[in-house]
């Protein structure tokens, strides 16, 4: 089942109601699902490789903590933040200011920022660890089979 954007995200605590959570595709819902957004977002940064290393390591440790707590939704949200760290850093690596499109809707020329590219690679490494984790994959399948 795809991610349901019509839910009342302001009133749902997905830790208490994991049955309402839908994995969706990619990063869907990463900035909506509470209390995970509130827990993970303050740790999410990629401005420099050093910051990206600290941030991605912290978020990956959160992924492992959610795993230990048998909290699939937390695991999936941490995975989404790691993915978003990669995709946003990559966008900023390719386009100054992260702006892919100009005011006319045309694609801006790429100008590679090596520092942001390194930040993206750091997040990508942790994202792969999370998304390929066997326990995560098993829990994801179980959650999707049970709740959609």
């Amino acid at each position: 089942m795809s991610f349901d954007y019509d839910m009342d995200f302001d009133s749902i605590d997905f830790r208490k109601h994991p049955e309402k959570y839908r994995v969706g595709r990619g990063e869907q819902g990463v900035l909506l699902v509470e209390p995970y957004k509130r827990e993970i977002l303050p740790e999410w940064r990629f401005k420099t490789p050093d910051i990206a290393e600290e941030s991605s390591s912290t978020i990956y440790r959160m992924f492992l903590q959610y795993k230990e707590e048998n909290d699939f939704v937390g695991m999936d949200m941490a995975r989404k933040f790691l993915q978003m760290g990669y995709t946003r850093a990559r966008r900023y690596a390719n386009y100054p200011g992260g702006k892919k499109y100009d005011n006319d809707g045309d694609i801006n020329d790429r100008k590679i920022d090596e520092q942001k590219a390194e930040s993206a690679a750091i997040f990508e490494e942790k994202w792969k660890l999370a998304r390929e984790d066997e326990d995560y994959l098993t829990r994801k399948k179980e959650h999707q089979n049970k709740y959609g």
Side-chain angles (χ1 to χ4, degrees), residues 48 54 56 58 66 72 79 85 88 103 106 122 126 140:
T48 67
E54 181 179 341
S56 65
T58 298
Y66 292 131
F72 168 74
R79 189 260 320 151
R88 296 311 181 278
N103 292 335
D106 297 321
I122 289 166
K126 296 293 191 308
K140 178 181 174 185

Side-chain angles (χ1 to χ4, degrees), residues 44-148:
W44 182 75
R45 301 285 180 268
F46 58 86
K47 187 173 184 175
T48 67
D50 288 342
I51 291 170
E53 182 62 48
E54 181 179 341
S55 175
S56 65
S57 292
T58 298
I59 294 170
Y60 185 68
R61 280 193 305 274
M62 294 172 87
F63 171 86
L64 295 174
Q65 183 65 39
Y66 292 131
K67 179 178 173 176
E68 188 175 303
E69 295 168 356
N70 198 28
D71 184 346
F72 168 74
V73 179
M75 291 174 73
D76 197 49
M77 290 299 294
R79 189 260 320 151
K80 287 181 183 199
F81 271 95
L82 292 168
Q83 181 176 354
M84 187 169 69
Y86 166 71
T87 59
R88 296 311 181 278
R90 199 63 248 172
R91 169 73 61 90
Y92 279 81
N94 292 339
Y95 303 100
K99 298 189 186 303
K100 184 174 181 177
Y101 299 97
D102 65 18
N103 292 335
D104 297 325
D106 297 321
I107 296 178
N108 286 320
D109 292 334
R110 283 188 177 198
K111 295 178 184 163
I112 302 300
D113 177 329
E114 293 300 329
Q115 191 174 47
K116 293 293 188 298
E118 188 177 339
S119 292
I122 289 166
F123 266 95
E124 183 180 30
E125 180 184 319
K126 296 293 191 308
W127 171 39
K128 283 182 179 180
L129 288 174
R131 76 176 192 219
E132 295 172 4
D133 181 282
E134 290 297 326
D135 192 33
Y136 166 77
L137 293 170
T138 298
R139 291 173 195 231
K140 178 181 174 185
K141 187 177 284 187
E142 288 172 357
H143 187 89
Q144 290 174 314
N145 288 338
K146 190 171 183 179
Y147 302 119

Side-chain angles (χ1 to χ4, degrees), residues 17-29:
H17 297 283
E19 74 280 1
K20 294 184 178 188
Y21 180 75
R22 300 297 176 268
V23 174
R25 299 181 73 176
E27 303 162 22
Q28 287 184 317

